[in-house]
Amino acid sequence: SGDITSSCEINLNKEHTKAEVKITTTNEKCPYTIEYTIYSNNTIDMKLTFTPIVKDLRRLGIGMIFSKDFEEIDYYAKGPWENYNDRKEASFIGRYSSTVSEMFTPYAHPQSCGNRQEMREITLYKKHSNKGIKIEANQPIAFSMLHFDDTDFIKEKLHPWEMVERNEVYTHFDYIQRGVGNGSCGPQTIEKYQVPSSGTYSFTLRFSPLR
């Protein structure tokens, strides 16, 4: 909500082997910048920088939508089941394989789910193919990939069997995500697992095509 303004700067080197695009966005909750470096070999670096200015944010990160063709996932992160920054001791760093459909966790009342902490690398494949995208993070971050948008989880009186998968892959890459806490029968998320309300935070993603 509130006023949102954005600006864009584009620079291309003399050899036409690298383009740089910087998008700066201001808003009333968390101004941010996205800096793309696009190389002639089809690799793209995306540096994201966030400057939160309010409390109670859910996450510092970016949402992306991938084509329905991408279904199979290899990832290097905490797994194999979902985990969060305040619920991850029973998950372990490793290389895991899954599908986007399998990342959904069927809670009695559907809600945002499927998060994995400390992601370093993901390979997202097209179905029954070795074609895909490799996504590398320059530091451990959180990610989720589902066939559901977050807005799908806010409908009342919904059950897992009533959920209808979307074709697209809805993805989050987060510097930090608010911890789960235990608001249903106990304390809310304690301070060290909340999203900060000041400071500057950044991470970089590298997207490379699989050949």
Side-chain angles (χ1 to χ4, degrees):
S1 60
D3 294 333
I4 299 175
T5 60
S6 294
S7 62
C8 181
E9 303 173 27
I10 302 174
N11 294 291
L12 182 65
N13 68 355
K14 293 181 179 180
E15 297 79 13
H16 289 195
T17 58
K18 182 174 70 173
E20 296 177 335
V21 181
K22 182 177 181 179
I23 299 171
T24 302
T25 300
T26 60
N27 56 56
E28 64 183 14
K29 292 184 178 181
C30 184
Y32 64 89
T33 62
I34 304 176
E35 298 173 79
Y36 298 94
T37 304
I38 305 168
Y39 301 94
S40 58
N41 65 354
N42 297 320
T43 297
I44 300 174
D45 288 341
M46 175 192 286
K47 181 180 180 181
L48 299 120
T49 303
F50 306 93
T51 309
I53 54 178
V54 298
K55 295 182 178 180
D56 297 325
L57 292 174
R58 183 179 174 187
R59 50 164 55 104
L60 293 182
I62 189 170
M64 305 179 71
I65 301 175
F66 289 92
S67 165
K68 63 181 180 181
D69 296 329
F70 295 104
E71 174 65 18
E72 299 173 5
I73 307 171
D74 291 340
Y75 64 93
Y76 179 31
K78 274 187 171 277
W81 33 77
E82 67 169 13
N83 53 89
Y84 296 85
N85 64 353
D86 60 347
R87 293 186 180 184
K88 62 181 182 180
E89 296 305 314
S91 300
F92 304 95
I93 291 289
R95 293 191 177 274
Y96 301 97
S97 295
S98 184
T99 66
V100 175
S101 294
E102 290 171 345
M103 301 287 272
F104 175 69
T105 303
Y107 291 110
H109 182 80
Q111 56 193 280
S112 179
C113 62
N115 187 72
R116 265 68 169 176
Q117 291 288 127
E118 301 184 31
M119 171 226 147
R120 276 78 158 177
E121 179 184 298
I122 297 173
T123 305
L124 190 59
Y125 294 98
K126 293 186 176 181
K127 291 182 179 179
H128 313 299
S129 170
N130 60 358
K131 296 179 180 180
I133 303 172
K134 176 183 281 189
I135 306 167
E136 300 168 276
N138 71 327
Q139 63 191 67
I141 61 172
F143 88 96
S144 64
M145 289 185 171
L146 298 170
H147 283 302
F148 302 103
D149 183 32
D150 280 354
T151 58
D152 296 331
F153 297 118
I154 62 176
K155 300 175 183 177
E156 295 182 359
K157 299 180 180 179
L158 207 60
H159 300 91
W161 59 85
E162 297 175 290
M163 299 290 290
V164 179
E165 286 191 350
R166 299 186 185 218
N167 289 327
E168 297 80 10
V169 179
Y170 290 81
T171 303
H172 286 286
F173 297 108
D174 297 322
Y175 178 90
I176 185 173
Q177 186 179 130
R178 182 185 176 97
V180 177
N182 195 23
S184 63
C185 57
Q188 290 289 340
T189 308
I190 63 176
E191 185 174 355
K192 73 174 183 176
Y193 297 124
Q194 295 179 16
V195 175
S197 58
S198 62
T200 299
Y201 310 89
S202 67
F203 65 91
T204 300
L205 297 173
R206 168 164 285 186
F207 298 84
S208 305
L210 295 180
R211 305 186 186 280

